[in-house]
Amino acid sequence: METPALEARQVIKYFDDPVRVQVLHDVSFALGRGEFAAVVGKSGCGKSTLLYILSTMDTAYEGELLIDGVPMRGKKEAALARVRNAQIGFVFQFHYLLNEFSVLRNVMLPAEKLGKLSGPEIEHRAYEKLRILGIESEARKKPNQLSGGQKQRVAIARALINDPLIILGDEPTGNLDQKNAEIVFDIFKELAETYHQALLIVTHDNDFAAKTHRIIEMEDGRIIPQRP
Amino acid sequence: MKLPLLYDVALALLLARGRQSLVAAIGVTFSITMFIALLGFMSGLNQLLDGLVLNRTPHIRLYNEVQPAPQQPIDRYTGLDVGPARPHNFIRSIKPSNELPRIHNAGAIIAALRHDPRVRGVAPKTQAQVFYNVGTINLTGTISGIEVAQEDQLFAFGDYVTAGNPLSLNTVANSIILGKGAADIMLVGVGDMVQITTVKGSRVQLKVVGLFQSGLLEVDKVQSYTSLTTAQKLLGEANNYVTDIQVKLCDFTLAPPLAQEYAQHYEVQALDIQTANSQFETGTFIRNLISYAVGITLLIVAGFGIYNILNMMIYEKMDTIAILKAMGFAGADVQRLFVVVALAIGLSGGAAGLLFGFGLTVAISHVPFHPASLPTVHFYPVSFNPVFYGIAAVFALITTYLAGYFPARKASRVDPVDIIRGK
Ligand SMILES: Nc1ncnc2c1ncn2[C@@H]1O[C@H](COP(=O)(O)OP(=O)(O)OP(=O)(O)O)[C@@H](O)[C@H]1O
Ligand SMILES: [Mg+2]
């Protein structure tokens, strides 16, 4: 069997502030290549918390996290940063673009950090990603000159620049209107089906979730077993 | 990772906080400027004051003082060391023998010293006590017989002759260069005659060919110069009569050991410049210490300026730090980023400071300054010692690095999850 792109084994998470609360209980699941999954659940059930753990940014958990079959436990902070840089694309609900740089440069940054391609090649790729998202005409603008939906699409382009194995999204379409949300959905679907990237997207949008390959439903820090 | 990216991000952060960054850089510029100017000025003054002493003082002075016999004849009988029962001798009857403070065999010593590779120059001198006759009054005075050319070469004698030509001492017979103070009292000038009485009682007429001003009023009232031969004639001594041999060394720090060596070797007394002028070194040291302390304090204050701007920048750019980390920048990269920001502020400010410091030093060196004691000085003395610039640069680097290091370390520890969740 093919190694899953992302696998969580009995992930447990506590918050200690102000009192010790268990937020995730034995969360286990695997996400294969080319799989497009939606995570749904009530507010406060632990979706974001799980996503931060899966993104390797949060390391204070129990259990196992494997990315492309490689366990993440015990890796140094710098090694985890490299994993994030090369293998994970993250789209937040808020866009988090750097207003000091142009849209194009924002998209280029992770690739420049990776350092595998030359400057012009990276620029070319960045244009390509912006075109896929329909905003290549905004490339030279500063992020604060864009609309909310446009910013979000720039953030998605940035998450795609290194062709990551896994794309994680925390309500990436939460700030978008119906039309833009559909554009983003189509892009995600294409990434999964054409480029075999694994996508795990947290969403409150039931229509959006329904159209994905798979729905992971959470309740009080647990994944509800799916009926076949 | 590629460095240009880091520099680009650092530059973007700097530009985002352009004005504060500029103020912090100006703080560094100011402190480096003051550091350079202060040290340049202080050590210029130090060199001047030291030069005052070092230029005019021989590194080693060989002389022969009137001294009592080191061993009284009775010691030969009682012995110096005959156990606990040694009787105490309180008879000290033998007075110093009637001998003038001359250096025996001066010619040979001078010749030998001139061959010593450690010696830069030797100048003989003959001191004579005299009275200047002013009407019916006699003023005490000292006449030094010198070899003008050598004295000028080794001790810049000519610099202190304010009127007349020092070399006339050689060309005009029975000539004298009078101390300015003495000349003022006697109401004489260049070209006039003065009369002096020697210790032996003879009266001599001397022609004033120059006036001498050392800057020390007490000295100028007493001290005069004449040629070596004239001084020997005044004393009624032969032309080998020399009371002092002044030695200038190539490296004056060797003076104390060499003084001992010469004293033993030539059987004379020898005084080195360090012993003779120990207070000057102390003064120099303290002035330097104060300059360094003030300069370094300024730098540290500037360092706090950088520390503040960096802390502010990091506080403001939490989102940027979080997203950089989410994108795959490690803590170490973030830390390097902010250290680069700090160094950019410090180095640009510091480089400007070095230039302005140089400029200010040049400006100081053009400010008129006419100390009465130093006729050759017309402007404030400064030093352009490259060591100051080196120290300033190194200190700017260290303080900005430290000022950047601690905020940068804080930035490297920012937890992106906290920031992203906080939105
Ligand atoms: N830093 C924290 N300290 C303590 N408790 C926290 C912290 N962060 C989150 N929690 C708690 O953990 C639980 C899960 O939060 P999480 O953000 O994962 O929810 P979510 O499913 O993403 O909700 P939403 O859909 O509203 O975004 C919540 O009950 C929240 O109060
Ligand atoms: Mg959430």
Side-chain angles (χ1 to χ4, degrees), chain A residues 13-19 21-24 41-52 93 170-171 202-204 218, chain B residues 417-418 421:
Chain A
K13 170 77 184 176
Y14 292 97
F15 279 115
D16 282 315
D17 189 29
V19 288
V21 190
Q22 188 167 359
V23 188
L24 295 178
K42 285 204 205 79
S43 180
C45 70
K47 304 181 296 292
S48 297
T49 307
L50 176 64
L51 226 58
Y52 296 137
Q93 182 172 8
D170 195 352
E171 302 179 43
V202 172
T203 180
H204 284 286
M218 286 184 72
Chain B
V417 175
D418 283 348
R421 204 184 263 288

mmCIF file of all heavy atoms in Angstrom, chain A residues 13-19 21-24 41-52 93 170-171 202-204 218, chain B residues 417-418 421, ligand 1:
data_model
loop_
_atom_site.group_PDB
_atom_site.id
_atom_site.type_symbol
_atom_site.label_atom_id
_atom_site.label_comp_id
_atom_site.label_asym_id
_atom_site.label_seq_id
_atom_site.Cartn_x
_atom_site.Cartn_y
_atom_site.Cartn_z
ATOM 1 N N LYS A 13 -4.026 16.048 22.785
ATOM 2 C CA LYS A 13 -3.549 17.403 23.065
ATOM 3 C C LYS A 13 -4.240 17.956 24.302
ATOM 4 O O LYS A 13 -5.451 17.824 24.461
ATOM 5 C CB LYS A 13 -3.850 18.298 21.850
ATOM 6 C CG LYS A 13 -3.639 19.777 22.058
ATOM 7 C CD LYS A 13 -2.172 20.150 22.030
ATOM 8 C CE LYS A 13 -1.973 21.633 22.351
ATOM 9 N NZ LYS A 13 -0.546 21.990 22.411
ATOM 10 N N TYR A 14 -3.444 18.498 25.182
ATOM 11 C CA TYR A 14 -3.979 19.154 26.380
ATOM 12 C C TYR A 14 -3.669 20.628 26.315
ATOM 13 O O TYR A 14 -2.644 21.033 25.773
ATOM 14 C CB TYR A 14 -3.296 18.610 27.638
ATOM 15 C CG TYR A 14 -3.612 17.182 27.978
ATOM 16 C CD1 TYR A 14 -2.745 16.159 27.599
ATOM 17 C CD2 TYR A 14 -4.743 16.863 28.722
ATOM 18 C CE1 TYR A 14 -3.009 14.849 27.929
ATOM 19 C CE2 TYR A 14 -5.007 15.548 29.060
ATOM 20 C CZ TYR A 14 -4.146 14.536 28.665
ATOM 21 O OH TYR A 14 -4.416 13.248 28.993
ATOM 22 N N PHE A 15 -4.545 21.438 26.858
ATOM 23 C CA PHE A 15 -4.186 22.828 27.153
ATOM 24 C C PHE A 15 -4.134 22.963 28.656
ATOM 25 O O PHE A 15 -4.992 22.440 29.363
ATOM 26 C CB PHE A 15 -5.216 23.805 26.572
ATOM 27 C CG PHE A 15 -5.005 24.069 25.111
ATOM 28 C CD1 PHE A 15 -5.943 23.685 24.166
ATOM 29 C CD2 PHE A 15 -3.850 24.707 24.672
ATOM 30 C CE1 PHE A 15 -5.745 23.931 22.820
ATOM 31 C CE2 PHE A 15 -3.649 24.959 23.322
ATOM 32 C CZ PHE A 15 -4.589 24.565 22.391
ATOM 33 N N ASP A 16 -3.107 23.636 29.157
ATOM 34 C CA ASP A 16 -2.925 23.731 30.605
ATOM 35 C C ASP A 16 -3.358 25.066 31.160
ATOM 36 O O ASP A 16 -3.281 25.302 32.355
ATOM 37 C CB ASP A 16 -1.459 23.481 30.955
ATOM 38 C CG ASP A 16 -1.159 21.995 30.905
ATOM 39 O OD1 ASP A 16 -1.979 21.232 31.438
ATOM 40 O OD2 ASP A 16 -0.136 21.610 30.314
ATOM 41 N N ASP A 17 -3.750 25.961 30.265
ATOM 42 C CA ASP A 17 -4.015 27.317 30.731
ATOM 43 C C ASP A 17 -5.491 27.619 30.506
ATOM 44 O O ASP A 17 -5.972 27.555 29.372
ATOM 45 C CB ASP A 17 -3.125 28.279 29.927
ATOM 46 C CG ASP A 17 -3.165 29.670 30.494
ATOM 47 O OD1 ASP A 17 -3.379 29.797 31.715
ATOM 48 O OD2 ASP A 17 -2.989 30.618 29.715
ATOM 49 N N PRO A 18 -6.311 27.942 31.443
ATOM 50 C CA PRO A 18 -5.994 28.117 32.883
ATOM 51 C C PRO A 18 -6.038 26.797 33.652
ATOM 52 O O PRO A 18 -5.381 26.669 34.668
ATOM 53 C CB PRO A 18 -7.102 29.052 33.362
ATOM 54 C CG PRO A 18 -8.247 28.776 32.437
ATOM 55 C CD PRO A 18 -7.689 28.289 31.150
ATOM 56 N N VAL A 19 -6.814 25.810 33.168
ATOM 57 C CA VAL A 19 -6.828 24.497 33.825
ATOM 58 C C VAL A 19 -6.542 23.450 32.754
ATOM 59 O O VAL A 19 -6.688 23.705 31.561
ATOM 60 C CB VAL A 19 -8.192 24.188 34.487
ATOM 61 C CG1 VAL A 19 -8.383 25.031 35.722
ATOM 62 C CG2 VAL A 19 -9.332 24.381 33.509
ATOM 63 N N VAL A 21 -7.079 20.949 30.265
ATOM 64 C CA VAL A 21 -8.232 20.476 29.498
ATOM 65 C C VAL A 21 -7.700 19.629 28.351
ATOM 66 O O VAL A 21 -6.744 20.021 27.690
ATOM 67 C CB VAL A 21 -9.025 21.651 28.890
ATOM 68 C CG1 VAL A 21 -10.332 21.148 28.306
ATOM 69 C CG2 VAL A 21 -9.256 22.747 29.904
ATOM 70 N N GLN A 22 -8.330 18.490 28.138
ATOM 71 C CA GLN A 22 -7.924 17.696 26.991
ATOM 72 C C GLN A 22 -8.744 18.135 25.787
ATOM 73 O O GLN A 22 -9.980 18.090 25.813
ATOM 74 C CB GLN A 22 -8.124 16.202 27.260
ATOM 75 C CG GLN A 22 -7.528 15.362 26.155
ATOM 76 C CD GLN A 22 -7.427 13.903 26.527
ATOM 77 O OE1 GLN A 22 -7.789 13.502 27.633
ATOM 78 N NE2 GLN A 22 -6.928 13.101 25.603
ATOM 79 N N VAL A 23 -8.086 18.595 24.727
ATOM 80 C CA VAL A 23 -8.771 19.135 23.564
ATOM 81 C C VAL A 23 -8.862 18.100 22.447
ATOM 82 O O VAL A 23 -9.820 18.076 21.692
ATOM 83 C CB VAL A 23 -8.063 20.403 23.066
ATOM 84 C CG1 VAL A 23 -8.884 21.069 21.982
ATOM 85 C CG2 VAL A 23 -7.832 21.365 24.205
ATOM 86 N N LEU A 24 -7.854 17.233 22.344
ATOM 87 C CA LEU A 24 -7.893 16.177 21.332
ATOM 88 C C LEU A 24 -7.756 14.829 22.032
ATOM 89 O O LEU A 24 -6.897 14.656 22.897
ATOM 90 C CB LEU A 24 -6.767 16.359 20.306
ATOM 91 C CG LEU A 24 -6.827 17.613 19.430
ATOM 92 C CD1 LEU A 24 -5.622 17.662 18.498
ATOM 93 C CD2 LEU A 24 -8.121 17.679 18.628
ATOM 94 N N GLY A 41 -17.030 20.325 11.984
ATOM 95 C CA GLY A 41 -17.347 20.115 13.388
ATOM 96 C C GLY A 41 -17.729 21.432 14.020
ATOM 97 O O GLY A 41 -17.496 22.499 13.449
ATOM 98 N N LYS A 42 -18.316 21.346 15.204
ATOM 99 C CA LYS A 42 -18.784 22.552 15.884
ATOM 100 C C LYS A 42 -17.597 23.430 16.270
ATOM 101 O O LYS A 42 -16.477 22.955 16.433
ATOM 102 C CB LYS A 42 -19.557 22.162 17.156
ATOM 103 C CG LYS A 42 -20.939 21.622 16.896
ATOM 104 C CD LYS A 42 -21.802 21.830 18.142
ATOM 105 C CE LYS A 42 -22.923 20.830 18.204
ATOM 106 N NZ LYS A 42 -22.486 19.506 18.693
ATOM 107 N N SER A 43 -17.906 24.696 16.441
ATOM 108 C CA SER A 43 -16.864 25.630 16.878
ATOM 109 C C SER A 43 -16.321 25.176 18.235
ATOM 110 O O SER A 43 -17.084 24.825 19.130
ATOM 111 C CB SER A 43 -17.467 27.023 16.981
ATOM 112 O OG SER A 43 -16.487 27.924 17.388
ATOM 113 N N GLY A 44 -15.018 25.149 18.353
ATOM 114 C CA GLY A 44 -14.403 24.782 19.622
ATOM 115 C C GLY A 44 -14.159 23.304 19.784
ATOM 116 O O GLY A 44 -13.697 22.861 20.838
ATOM 117 N N CYS A 45 -14.420 22.521 18.739
ATOM 118 C CA CYS A 45 -14.255 21.082 18.881
ATOM 119 C C CYS A 45 -12.810 20.648 18.676
ATOM 120 O O CYS A 45 -12.473 19.485 18.860
ATOM 121 C CB CYS A 45 -15.182 20.332 17.927
ATOM 122 S SG CYS A 45 -14.692 20.498 16.204
ATOM 123 N N GLY A 46 -11.930 21.558 18.265
ATOM 124 C CA GLY A 46 -10.505 21.226 18.188
ATOM 125 C C GLY A 46 -9.953 21.110 16.778
ATOM 126 O O GLY A 46 -8.862 20.586 16.585
ATOM 127 N N LYS A 47 -10.669 21.647 15.777
ATOM 128 C CA LYS A 47 -10.211 21.517 14.391
ATOM 129 C C LYS A 47 -8.908 22.289 14.160
ATOM 130 O O LYS A 47 -7.931 21.733 13.625
ATOM 131 C CB LYS A 47 -11.291 22.049 13.435
ATOM 132 C CG LYS A 47 -12.645 21.400 13.600
ATOM 133 C CD LYS A 47 -13.649 21.962 12.617
ATOM 134 C CE LYS A 47 -13.952 23.439 12.802
ATOM 135 N NZ LYS A 47 -14.682 23.755 14.045
ATOM 136 N N SER A 48 -8.907 23.535 14.591
ATOM 137 C CA SER A 48 -7.692 24.336 14.386
ATOM 138 C C SER A 48 -6.529 23.724 15.152
ATOM 139 O O SER A 48 -5.405 23.645 14.636
ATOM 140 C CB SER A 48 -7.920 25.770 14.853
ATOM 141 O OG SER A 48 -8.930 26.367 14.076
ATOM 142 N N THR A 49 -6.807 23.313 16.368
ATOM 143 C CA THR A 49 -5.760 22.716 17.196
ATOM 144 C C THR A 49 -5.128 21.524 16.476
ATOM 145 O O THR A 49 -3.901 21.401 16.426
ATOM 146 C CB THR A 49 -6.363 22.280 18.543
ATOM 147 O OG1 THR A 49 -7.041 23.393 19.113
ATOM 148 C CG2 THR A 49 -5.289 21.784 19.477
ATOM 149 N N LEU A 50 -5.977 20.699 15.892
ATOM 150 C CA LEU A 50 -5.457 19.539 15.157
ATOM 151 C C LEU A 50 -4.613 19.988 13.961
ATOM 152 O O LEU A 50 -3.519 19.460 13.722
ATOM 153 C CB LEU A 50 -6.626 18.673 14.677
ATOM 154 C CG LEU A 50 -6.235 17.468 13.816
ATOM 155 C CD1 LEU A 50 -5.391 16.489 14.617
ATOM 156 C CD2 LEU A 50 -7.468 16.775 13.259
ATOM 157 N N LEU A 51 -5.114 21.003 13.265
ATOM 158 C CA LEU A 51 -4.399 21.469 12.076
ATOM 159 C C LEU A 51 -3.006 22.015 12.422
ATOM 160 O O LEU A 51 -2.048 21.780 11.690
ATOM 161 C CB LEU A 51 -5.240 22.544 11.383
ATOM 162 C CG LEU A 51 -5.373 22.377 9.875
ATOM 163 C CD1 LEU A 51 -5.978 21.035 9.536
ATOM 164 C CD2 LEU A 51 -6.198 23.500 9.279
ATOM 165 N N TYR A 52 -2.920 22.728 13.536
ATOM 166 C CA TYR A 52 -1.615 23.274 13.933
ATOM 167 C C TYR A 52 -0.642 22.154 14.260
ATOM 168 O O TYR A 52 0.555 22.251 13.981
ATOM 169 C CB TYR A 52 -1.754 24.226 15.131
ATOM 170 C CG TYR A 52 -2.571 25.462 14.808
ATOM 171 C CD1 TYR A 52 -3.524 25.954 15.696
ATOM 172 C CD2 TYR A 52 -2.384 26.143 13.609
ATOM 173 C CE1 TYR A 52 -4.278 27.078 15.393
ATOM 174 C CE2 TYR A 52 -3.136 27.262 13.299
ATOM 175 C CZ TYR A 52 -4.079 27.723 14.196
ATOM 176 O OH TYR A 52 -4.816 28.828 13.881
ATOM 177 N N GLN A 93 -7.235 31.341 7.798
ATOM 178 C CA GLN A 93 -8.456 32.100 7.568
ATOM 179 C C GLN A 93 -8.106 33.553 7.264
ATOM 180 O O GLN A 93 -8.675 34.180 6.389
ATOM 181 C CB GLN A 93 -9.356 32.015 8.800
ATOM 182 C CG GLN A 93 -10.662 32.737 8.609
ATOM 183 C CD GLN A 93 -11.617 32.485 9.756
ATOM 184 O OE1 GLN A 93 -11.251 31.898 10.764
ATOM 185 N NE2 GLN A 93 -12.839 32.923 9.582
ATOM 186 N N ASP A 170 -7.204 26.316 7.074
ATOM 187 C CA ASP A 170 -8.101 26.558 8.203
ATOM 188 C C ASP A 170 -9.119 27.599 7.754
ATOM 189 O O ASP A 170 -8.849 28.797 7.768
ATOM 190 C CB ASP A 170 -7.300 27.046 9.421
ATOM 191 C CG ASP A 170 -8.126 26.956 10.692
ATOM 192 O OD1 ASP A 170 -9.335 26.659 10.594
ATOM 193 O OD2 ASP A 170 -7.552 27.173 11.776
ATOM 194 N N GLU A 171 -10.253 27.130 7.348
ATOM 195 C CA GLU A 171 -11.314 27.980 6.813
ATOM 196 C C GLU A 171 -10.788 28.949 5.762
ATOM 197 O O GLU A 171 -10.970 30.164 5.897
ATOM 198 C CB GLU A 171 -11.993 28.746 7.953
ATOM 199 C CG GLU A 171 -12.566 27.799 8.990
ATOM 200 C CD GLU A 171 -13.226 28.548 10.132
ATOM 201 O OE1 GLU A 171 -13.936 29.514 9.833
ATOM 202 O OE2 GLU A 171 -13.021 28.157 11.287
ATOM 203 N N VAL A 202 -10.243 22.647 6.731
ATOM 204 C CA VAL A 202 -11.270 22.868 7.750
ATOM 205 C C VAL A 202 -12.287 23.837 7.179
ATOM 206 O O VAL A 202 -11.918 24.865 6.602
ATOM 207 C CB VAL A 202 -10.649 23.462 9.032
ATOM 208 C CG1 VAL A 202 -11.751 23.878 10.003
ATOM 209 C CG2 VAL A 202 -9.705 22.466 9.686
ATOM 210 N N THR A 203 -13.550 23.510 7.315
ATOM 211 C CA THR A 203 -14.556 24.425 6.778
ATOM 212 C C THR A 203 -15.844 24.338 7.579
ATOM 213 O O THR A 203 -16.147 23.329 8.209
ATOM 214 C CB THR A 203 -14.826 24.127 5.289
ATOM 215 O OG1 THR A 203 -15.801 25.043 4.804
ATOM 216 C CG2 THR A 203 -15.356 22.712 5.086
ATOM 217 N N HIS A 204 -16.571 25.450 7.579
ATOM 218 C CA HIS A 204 -17.910 25.476 8.164
ATOM 219 C C HIS A 204 -18.973 25.441 7.066
ATOM 220 O O HIS A 204 -20.162 25.469 7.343
ATOM 221 C CB HIS A 204 -18.102 26.753 9.000
ATOM 222 C CG HIS A 204 -17.410 26.685 10.319
ATOM 223 N ND1 HIS A 204 -17.886 25.917 11.343
ATOM 224 C CD2 HIS A 204 -16.278 27.268 10.771
ATOM 225 C CE1 HIS A 204 -17.066 26.039 12.375
ATOM 226 N NE2 HIS A 204 -16.085 26.846 12.060
ATOM 227 N N MET A 218 -15.636 16.078 13.356
ATOM 228 C CA MET A 218 -15.078 16.061 14.712
ATOM 229 C C MET A 218 -16.133 16.492 15.711
ATOM 230 O O MET A 218 -17.022 17.283 15.406
ATOM 231 C CB MET A 218 -13.868 16.992 14.807
ATOM 232 C CG MET A 218 -12.632 16.440 14.127
ATOM 233 S SD MET A 218 -11.242 17.528 14.372
ATOM 234 C CE MET A 218 -10.895 17.265 16.090
ATOM 235 N N VAL B 417 1.838 29.621 16.398
ATOM 236 C CA VAL B 417 0.472 29.176 16.689
ATOM 237 C C VAL B 417 -0.235 30.204 17.566
ATOM 238 O O VAL B 417 -1.382 30.557 17.320
ATOM 239 C CB VAL B 417 0.491 27.796 17.365
ATOM 240 C CG1 VAL B 417 -0.915 27.396 17.767
ATOM 241 C CG2 VAL B 417 1.097 26.755 16.431
ATOM 242 N N ASP B 418 0.485 30.714 18.555
ATOM 243 C CA ASP B 418 -0.106 31.734 19.437
ATOM 244 C C ASP B 418 -0.575 32.930 18.636
ATOM 245 O O ASP B 418 -1.648 33.487 18.886
ATOM 246 C CB ASP B 418 0.935 32.215 20.461
ATOM 247 C CG ASP B 418 1.124 31.206 21.574
ATOM 248 O OD1 ASP B 418 0.293 30.281 21.659
ATOM 249 O OD2 ASP B 418 2.089 31.351 22.342
ATOM 250 N N ARG B 421 -3.486 31.950 16.094
ATOM 251 C CA ARG B 421 -4.701 31.707 16.872
ATOM 252 C C ARG B 421 -5.301 33.009 17.395
ATOM 253 O O ARG B 421 -6.506 33.158 17.502
ATOM 254 C CB ARG B 421 -4.356 30.804 18.049
ATOM 255 C CG ARG B 421 -5.512 30.028 18.589
ATOM 256 C CD ARG B 421 -5.052 29.265 19.787
ATOM 257 N NE ARG B 421 -4.701 27.885 19.489
ATOM 258 C CZ ARG B 421 -5.585 26.953 19.197
ATOM 259 N NH1 ARG B 421 -6.851 27.237 19.098
ATOM 260 N NH2 ARG B 421 -5.200 25.717 18.992
HETATM 261 N N1 LIG C 1 -4.160 28.528 23.904
HETATM 262 C C1 LIG C 1 -5.212 27.882 24.426
HETATM 263 N N2 LIG C 1 -5.285 27.699 25.760
HETATM 264 C C2 LIG C 1 -6.327 27.040 26.294
HETATM 265 N N3 LIG C 1 -7.321 26.564 25.595
HETATM 266 C C3 LIG C 1 -7.321 26.726 24.242
HETATM 267 C C4 LIG C 1 -6.256 27.395 23.610
HETATM 268 N N4 LIG C 1 -6.506 27.403 22.290
HETATM 269 C C5 LIG C 1 -7.681 26.781 22.113
HETATM 270 N N5 LIG C 1 -8.163 26.364 23.276
HETATM 271 C C6 LIG C 1 -9.373 25.621 23.447
HETATM 272 O O1 LIG C 1 -9.290 24.438 22.680
HETATM 273 C C7 LIG C 1 -10.520 24.129 22.126
HETATM 274 C C8 LIG C 1 -10.365 23.866 20.632
HETATM 275 O O2 LIG C 1 -10.047 25.098 19.964
HETATM 276 P P1 LIG C 1 -9.902 25.196 18.401
HETATM 277 O O3 LIG C 1 -9.427 26.523 18.062
HETATM 278 O O4 LIG C 1 -9.126 24.032 17.940
HETATM 279 O O5 LIG C 1 -11.403 25.060 17.926
HETATM 280 P P2 LIG C 1 -11.954 25.041 16.439
HETATM 281 O O6 LIG C 1 -12.550 23.707 16.258
HETATM 282 O O7 LIG C 1 -10.932 25.475 15.499
HETATM 283 O O8 LIG C 1 -13.101 26.121 16.531
HETATM 284 P P3 LIG C 1 -13.525 27.172 15.433
HETATM 285 O O9 LIG C 1 -14.364 26.407 14.472
HETATM 286 O O10 LIG C 1 -14.356 28.157 16.174
HETATM 287 O O11 LIG C 1 -12.345 27.732 14.834
HETATM 288 C C9 LIG C 1 -11.465 25.270 22.424
HETATM 289 O O12 LIG C 1 -12.351 24.853 23.450
HETATM 290 C C10 LIG C 1 -10.588 26.372 22.914
HETATM 291 O O13 LIG C 1 -11.217 27.081 23.948
#
